[in-house]
């Protein structure tokens, strides 16, 4: 029998800060299959993949590719030479370069001493067509939406000749349509013989794509089975160590007083993701208003205007009866706005500051944190410790750097901070993107609880199941306009939203 | 973890040795008495109290400029105006002493404060140009250092110069303007204690106050600062002013502690060495704990010979 494409044998990894991320991981990935890896935030999934891709070195144990152990000099270059491509959980694109430049980075086609831009562009177009992932090769990465950046990442990995593609939570940033499309492409690639390792917190996706699933918990393999031999409940139990109840909003109250009123908001000249045309709506206390739409249809613009980051070209807005038209972020925050940003590391926090420093942002002027102008270190750390335990953030303590936390855990901390301020208006932008089932259920419960206590919530989410289980009403954005205003109810399904999201119908 | 720390230290030591060797080889080759020269180079500074005092004297101004650079870089600005601020601080302290007729008991401290206030402009101007107009603070601060030099020389030449001194020197500084010596047998003066205190205060400011918190957030991730609604421009400008103040106070203290007359004809280089000190002391690295900040000042003293060699 041919050896498996990849075999992990007793792989151990302890980080310099003492975190034991991997404890004797042993399992195999067979060629030509799609192999899913599940596990809660901080289970060690990304770390294991980084070991395979040569970005981290295991302390002991071995990794075998085609039956041959990789040497101590394993590196991303060696991994690429062995036909391994990886799409990281956090993007590794160079923001100031164009899409084409990013994709050919490190192996640029040359023309004498110069980079042959035309060839690079042509190559990118070819790859993009072949895998049907539409991108503009000349667009600057900095200006792309998160979903588009993810596409570029995938293309970048596919553009090299790969036999094994590692996807670390690729769908966390994609819309359902884009996910379905991606899966279509991945199935096609698998039929051509590509092996795929796929990390996801969404069991539905695992079932849709994978043949085999390995479950990690606290750095150990706790389950490894063909997908047909294991039920979703069994996987969820293995991931969590116990059952989780899905969060769903049951009670719906009469509408409270008006919190946010937006009238004729427009930014017609902005880039597609920011463009808004004549957006008007009212949001009441205790209400959760969902915003649906294919990514890049104005959601980003809506969030950045309401959170005070951009000034709209025209329109009106009032928060709790006060005119907040053109207020900046500081004033909006004072007026009761809270914002959980979609891009956690660009806006939500600072990797090079400690968990404690990240936890007190916005609250750092409060007298509860020490006598003015000092910040009591003890109080700051106790404050952070409260959030860490309430939201079950896995970290070494308040002094750990945010950058040393796993993706999902960093996000939980940021959510904890924004919710702790008890905002009158919470803008929750993709609040559960990339976090595990239990943490997602927990955050949804917190959003519901916030609404029950009288906050108004504007929930932007590409996860339609999430939207429909939380929202009282749903707005659908298409091309920067409100394409539909729908009451949520049993008859509203993801399928029913589809035509509005694609601009085929309107009901505004 | 301990293993990596030991390794890092060993590596640093090896590098230091290599640097010393590279510096020594040409010296040894050209000197008639190489053994004596090398011995003097390596152990001379530690030979007696006077030589040890020399180290501390030379380290004093660098504590101020090192602190200044560390503060300014913390908010993400590569402002090199410490050099100009240091020079202006010295000039305007001299100006206050010679021209303002201050009463003796308050002459020394008021001169330092005045020098520091005027001198801080050397760092404030590039900071404001950056914040308001997006001009690179790196370039503008480098160029403004020379503007500071010639503006300062103008003041010295036309307002402070002693026509009988025979060179471009100011009048003699009166005794009341001088900082007291604190270690008999050396020229170590009160400024070293002020410098240590300033470094400690800088550490407290950055790591234990709300303003310092905002400064660190702005420096660590402006996107996060914007998200929190922090007044980024004001925070950055304030820290540039503080940095400039520290550097210029260093210049004033250097003049009042070490000189009989103001006698600098060119930029004295304390700002550049401050940059080296800040880096050696690890003050502007992204990831160090609060406890180490006050140590930066002490480290500045220890690392000085290497920085100055
Ligand atoms: N560079 C690092 N330094 C220190 N600790 C780290 C580092 N990277 C990861 N860790 C820790 O190792 C553990 C595993 O992290 P990893 O990123 O592999 O988790 P994950 O399973 O990918 O989680 P998520 O679903 O949140 O992405 C976590 O406890 C994390 O805090
Ligand atoms: Mg991960």
């Amino acid at each position: 029998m041919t050896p498996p494409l990849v075999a992990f044998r007793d792989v151990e990894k302890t980080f310099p800060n003492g975190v034991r991320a991997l404890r004797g991981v042993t399992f195999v990935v067979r060629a030509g299959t799609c192999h899913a890896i599940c596990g809660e935030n901080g289970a060690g999934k990304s770390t294991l993949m980084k070991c395979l891709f040569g970005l981290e070195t295991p302390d002991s144990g071995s990794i075998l590719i085609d039956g041959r152990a990789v040497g101590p000099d394993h590196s991303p270059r060696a991994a690429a030479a062995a036909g391994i491509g990886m799409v990281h959980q956090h993007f590794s694109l160079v923001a100031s370069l164009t899409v084409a430049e990013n994709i050919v980075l490190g192996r640029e086609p040359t023309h004498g001493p110069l980079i042959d831009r035309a060839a690079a562009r042509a190559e990118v177009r070819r790859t993009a067509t072949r895998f049907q992932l539409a991108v503009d090769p000349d667009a600057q990465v900095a200006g792309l939406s998160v979903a588009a950046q993810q596409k570029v990442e995938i293309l970048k990995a596919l553009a090299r000749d790969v036999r094994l593609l590692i996807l670390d939570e690729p769908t966390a940033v994609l819309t359902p349509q884009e996910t379905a499309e991606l899966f279509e492409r991945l199935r096609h690639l698998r039929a051509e013989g590509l092996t795929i390792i796929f990390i996801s917190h969404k069991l539905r996706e695992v079932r849709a794509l994978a043949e085999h699933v390995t479950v990690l918990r606290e750095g150990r393999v706790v389950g490894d089975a063909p997908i047909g031999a294991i039920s979703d409940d069994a996987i969820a139990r293995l991931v969590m160590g116990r059952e989780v109840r899905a969060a769903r909003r049951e009670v719906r109250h009469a509408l409270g007083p008006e919190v946010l009123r937006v009238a004729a908001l427009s930014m017609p000249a902005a880039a597609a993701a920011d463009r808004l045309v004549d957006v008007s709506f009212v949001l009441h206390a205790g209400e959760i208003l969902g915003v649906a739409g294919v990514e890049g249809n104005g959601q980003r613009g809506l969030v950045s205007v309401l959170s005070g980051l951009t000034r709209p070209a025209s329109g009106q807005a009032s928060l709790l009866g006060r005119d907040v038209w053109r207020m900046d972020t500081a004033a909006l925050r004072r007026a009761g706005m809270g914002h959980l940003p979609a891009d956690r590391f660009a806006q939500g926090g600072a990797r090079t500051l400690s968990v404690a420093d990240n936890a007190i942002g916005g609250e750092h002027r409060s007298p509860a944190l020490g006598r003015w102008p000092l910040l009591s270190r003890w109080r700051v750390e106790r404050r952070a410790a409260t959030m860490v335990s309430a939201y079950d953030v896995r970290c070494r303590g308040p002094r750990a750097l945010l950058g040393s936390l796993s993706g999902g855990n960093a996000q939980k901390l940021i959510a904890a901070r924004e919710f702790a301020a008890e905002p009158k208006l919470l803008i929750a932008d993709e609040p559960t993107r990339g976090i595990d089932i239990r943490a997602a259920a927990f955050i949804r419960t917190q959003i519901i609880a916030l609404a029950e206590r009288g906050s108004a919530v504007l929930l932007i989410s590409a996860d339609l199941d999430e939207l429909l289980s939380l929202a009282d009403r749903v707005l659908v954005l298409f091309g920067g306009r409100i394409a539909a205003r729908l009451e949520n109810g049993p008859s509203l399904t993801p399928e029913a939203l589809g035509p509005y999201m694609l601009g085929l119908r309107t009901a505004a | 973890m301990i293993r990596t720390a030991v390794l890092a230290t060993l590596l640093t030591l090896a590098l230091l040795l290599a640097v010393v060797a590279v510096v020594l080889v040409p010296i040894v080759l050209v000197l008639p008495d190489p053994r004596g020269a090398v011995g003097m180079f390596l152990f001379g500074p530690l030979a007696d109290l006077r030589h040890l005092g020399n180290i501390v004297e030379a380290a004093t101004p660098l504590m101020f400029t090192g602190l200044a650079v560390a503060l300014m870089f913390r908010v993400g600005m590569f402002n090199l105006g410490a050099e100009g601020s240091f020079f202006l601080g010295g000039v305007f302290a001299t100006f206050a002493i010679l021209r303002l007729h201050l009463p003796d008991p308050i002459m020394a401290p008021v001169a330092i404060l005045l020098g520091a206030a005027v001198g801080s402009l050397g760092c404030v101007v590039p900071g404001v140009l950056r914040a308001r107009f997006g001009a690179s603070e790196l370039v503008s601060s480098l160029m403004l250092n020379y503007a500071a030099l010639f503006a300062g020389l103008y003041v010295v030449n036309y307002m402070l110069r002693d026509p009988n001194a025979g060179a471009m020197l100011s009048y003699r500084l009166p005794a009341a303007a001088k900082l007291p010596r604190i270690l008999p047998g050396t020229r170590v003066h009160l400024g070293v204690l002020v410098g240590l205190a300033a470094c400690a205060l800088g550490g407290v400011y950055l790591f234990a106050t709300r303003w310092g918190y905002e400064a660190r957030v702005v420096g660590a991730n402006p996107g996060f600062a914007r998200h929190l609604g922090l007044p980024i421009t004001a925070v950055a400008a304030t820290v540039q002013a503080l940095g400039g103040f520290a550097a210029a106070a260093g210049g004033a203290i250097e003049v009042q502690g070490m000189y009989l007359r103001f006698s600098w004809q060119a930029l004295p280089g304390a700002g550049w060495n401050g940059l080296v000190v800040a880096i050696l002391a690890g003050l502007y690295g992204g990831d160090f704990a609060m406890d180490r900040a006050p140590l930066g000042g002490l480290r500045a003293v220890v690392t000085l010979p290497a920085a100055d060699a």
Side-chain angles (χ1 to χ4, degrees):
Chain A
M1 201 172 120
T2 53
L5 180 57
V6 176
F8 297 99
R9 284 214 191 127
D10 286 320
V11 177
E12 297 264 348
K13 172 81 193 175
T14 303
F15 280 105
N17 62 5
V19 174
R20 287 187 66 191
L22 300 173
R23 313 181 191 207
V25 172
T26 303
F27 70 95
V28 301
V29 178
R30 302 222 164 264
T33 63
C34 177
H35 193 118
I37 300 179
C38 295
E40 60 184 335
N41 296 133
K45 307 177 297 293
S46 297
T47 306
L48 185 67
M49 291 305 109
K50 286 182 193 162
C51 289
L52 174 57
F53 193 59
L55 283 168
E56 299 277 4
T57 316
D59 300 329
S60 66
S62 52
I63 299 176
L64 288 76
I65 300 177
D66 293 326
R68 275 192 307 278
V70 302
D73 58 342
H74 194 47
S75 66
R77 201 170 273 273
I84 301 178
M86 177 157 175
V87 176
H88 295 274
Q89 182 174 7
H90 300 293
F91 308 143
S92 52
L93 298 175
V94 183
S96 57
L97 297 183
T98 67
V99 168
E101 285 166 336
N102 264 287
I103 290 178
V104 301
L105 194 69
R107 46 178 195 91
E108 299 83 356
T110 48
H111 190 82
L114 302 174
I115 296 178
D116 188 344
R117 275 169 210 285
R121 220 173 285 138
E123 185 201 314
V124 170
R125 285 229 174 77
R126 247 192 338 270
T127 328
T129 327
R130 170 156 171 237
F131 299 112
Q132 295 186 6
L133 287 160
V135 293
D136 170 11
D138 296 317
Q140 211 190 353
V141 164
L144 296 181
S145 71
V146 196
Q149 291 189 25
Q150 176 70 277
K151 270 191 213 167
V152 178
E153 284 276 9
I154 294 177
L155 269 182
K156 182 176 173 182
L158 289 175
R160 315 181 180 205
D161 257 339
V162 294
R163 295 188 293 151
L164 169 64
L165 181 63
I166 304 169
L167 298 163
D168 194 351
E169 300 194 27
T171 60
V173 293
L174 300 183
T175 61
Q177 286 84 352
E178 287 167 322
T179 304
E181 236 171 75
L182 172 69
F183 281 15
E184 204 42 55
R185 300 319 315 152
L186 291 178
R187 284 197 199 98
H188 192 73
L189 289 167
R190 187 181 48 193
E192 287 181 10
L194 187 79
T195 310
I196 297 165
I197 296 182
F198 172 74
I199 298 178
S200 177
H201 291 296
K202 296 179 190 154
L203 296 184
R204 186 143 54 98
E205 297 179 351
V206 168
R207 199 157 287 281
L209 199 63
E211 282 117 16
H212 199 99
V213 58
T214 300
V215 181
L216 292 183
R217 181 154 27 119
E218 289 169 0
R220 292 194 185 87
V221 175
V222 293
D224 185 60
I227 199 82
I230 189 167
S231 70
D232 279 1
D233 284 347
I235 299 178
R237 260 198 310 277
L238 286 171
V239 166
M240 295 306 158
R242 65 176 168 90
E243 313 253 354
V244 197
R245 272 200 32 211
R248 175 169 277 278
R249 191 154 196 221
E250 312 285 359
V251 243
R252 299 191 55 227
H253 300 277
L255 290 182
E258 183 179 305
V259 171
L260 176 71
R261 171 178 289 272
V262 173
L265 201 62
S266 285
M267 289 203 296
D274 295 319
R275 185 176 304 138
L276 295 174
V277 184
D278 199 17
V279 169
S280 308
F281 61 87
V282 177
L283 183 51
H284 297 88
E287 190 183 22
I288 302 180
L289 177 61
V291 177
V294 175
E295 178 127 5
N297 275 277
Q299 294 94 326
R300 193 171 79 183
L302 184 61
V303 170
S304 68
V305 167
L306 291 181
S307 62
L309 292 174
T310 340
R311 305 274 155 108
S314 63
Q316 275 164 358
S318 61
L319 180 58
L320 295 165
R322 284 174 60 195
D323 189 8
V324 292
W325 166 238
R326 299 197 162 210
M327 266 195 188
D328 63 9
T329 307
L332 278 166
R333 275 189 172 262
R334 277 196 299 277
M337 185 272 298
H339 174 204
L340 180 55
D343 197 336
R344 271 82 196 187
F345 284 118
Q347 293 177 35
R351 288 169 198 262
T352 53
L353 296 183
S354 67
V355 164
D357 283 342
N358 276 283
I360 60 162
E363 194 197 346
H364 63 278
R365 292 186 161 260
S366 144
L369 293 177
R371 189 177 304 168
W372 187 266
L374 298 181
L375 273 175
S376 147
R377 189 176 182 184
W378 180 73
R379 290 191 188 190
V380 166
E381 289 186 355
R382 201 180 48 170
R383 186 86 190 81
T386 319
M387 292 186 196
V388 163
S389 67
Y391 280 71
D392 190 27
V393 178
R394 306 283 167 83
C395 66
R396 296 286 288 174
R399 295 184 199 180
L401 296 185
L402 188 71
S404 75
L405 270 57
S406 83
N409 280 304
Q411 203 164 310
K412 284 195 266 181
L413 180 78
I414 294 162
R417 179 190 70 216
E418 295 298 326
F419 290 5
E422 290 285 325
K424 295 284 182 291
L425 165 69
L426 174 72
I427 304 168
D429 195 358
E430 305 291 352
T432 64
R433 175 181 278 173
I435 65 185
D436 68 44
I437 313 171
R438 173 160 51 185
F442 179 78
I443 285 189
R444 289 179 192 141
T445 314
Q446 295 300 313
I447 292 180
I448 293 172
L450 204 63
E452 300 287 315
R453 291 198 297 273
S455 298
V457 179
L458 188 71
L459 172 68
I460 296 94
S461 179
D463 181 344
L464 296 181
D465 290 331
E466 168 170 284
L467 214 57
L468 294 177
S469 62
L470 297 184
D472 299 312
R473 285 186 298 139
V474 176
L475 298 181
V476 184
L477 284 181
F478 179 77
R481 292 176 192 274
I482 295 183
R485 301 165 190 273
L486 306 162
E487 286 293 323
N488 194 3
S491 62
L492 197 61
T493 59
E495 290 70 33
L497 288 173
Y500 302 110
M501 292 172 65
L502 296 171
L504 303 174
R505 265 168 67 186
T506 54
Chain B
M1 195 169 165
I2 295 169
R3 212 176 53 184
T4 44
V6 171
L7 263 180
T9 314
L10 284 180
L11 193 67
T12 314
L13 277 179
L15 277 175
L16 268 178
L17 279 179
V19 169
V20 170
V22 167
V23 172
L24 283 185
V25 165
I27 297 180
V28 170
L29 288 180
V30 298
L31 286 185
D33 174 19
R35 289 190 74 193
V38 170
M40 193 65 183
F41 178 85
L42 291 180
F43 306 109
L46 309 173
D48 57 36
L49 187 65
R50 193 169 60 83
H51 286 117
L52 276 173
N54 283 342
I55 294 185
V56 178
E57 287 153 23
T60 304
L62 301 194
M63 284 184 211
F64 291 93
T65 51
L67 170 67
V69 172
L71 281 174
M72 295 189 292
F73 279 29
R74 261 285 160 174
V75 282
M77 279 214 191
F78 295 97
N79 188 337
L80 299 179
E83 185 66 51
S85 282
F86 185 85
F87 185 82
L88 286 181
V91 171
F92 282 92
T94 313
F95 179 88
I97 292 163
L98 297 179
R99 302 292 297 244
L100 292 190
H101 312 293
L102 298 165
D104 279 2
I106 60 161
M107 181 185 276
V110 169
I112 293 173
L113 289 177
L114 200 105
V118 177
S120 73
L121 285 176
C123 293
V124 170
V125 172
V128 169
L129 286 179
R130 162 65 189 274
R132 289 299 296 263
F133 305 107
S136 158
E137 72 281 6
L138 189 77
V139 173
S140 66
S141 63
L142 277 173
M143 299 199 312
L144 277 168
N145 281 340
Y146 290 95
L149 169 66
F150 291 109
L153 288 180
Y154 177 88
V155 173
V156 174
N157 197 20
Y158 289 98
M159 300 178 192
L160 311 174
R161 179 173 171 177
D162 182 350
N164 301 320
M168 199 160 82
L169 301 176
S170 76
Y171 289 101
R172 273 176 171 278
L173 302 179
K178 307 292 285 280
L179 298 178
R181 300 266 155 91
I182 58 171
L183 199 63
T186 70
R187 293 189 300 159
V188 173
H189 55 85
L190 192 62
V192 69
L193 299 184
V194 180
L196 285 175
C199 285
L201 263 180
V204 169
Y205 168 81
L206 265 185
F207 295 101
T209 70
R210 324 229 171 195
W211 304 305
Y213 174 81
E214 296 192 346
R216 286 184 297 126
V217 169
V218 168
N221 182 359
F224 181 36
R226 213 168 294 126
H227 168 78
L228 294 177
L230 301 185
I232 297 181
T233 315
V235 169
T238 310
V239 176
Q240 306 313 298
L242 285 177
F245 194 87
I253 285 171
E254 179 70 358
V255 168
Q256 292 173 244
M258 301 290 287
Y259 290 83
L260 297 173
R261 306 162 178 268
F262 183 93
S263 54
W264 293 332
Q265 320 281 326
L267 292 173
W272 309 135
N273 285 336
L275 178 66
V276 176
V277 165
I279 291 170
L280 283 178
L283 264 179
Y284 100 97
D287 56 337
F288 77 109
M290 194 158 159
D291 325 89
R292 273 169 53 194
L295 272 183
L298 291 174
R299 280 233 209 153
V301 180
V302 179
T303 43
L304 169 88
D308 234 18

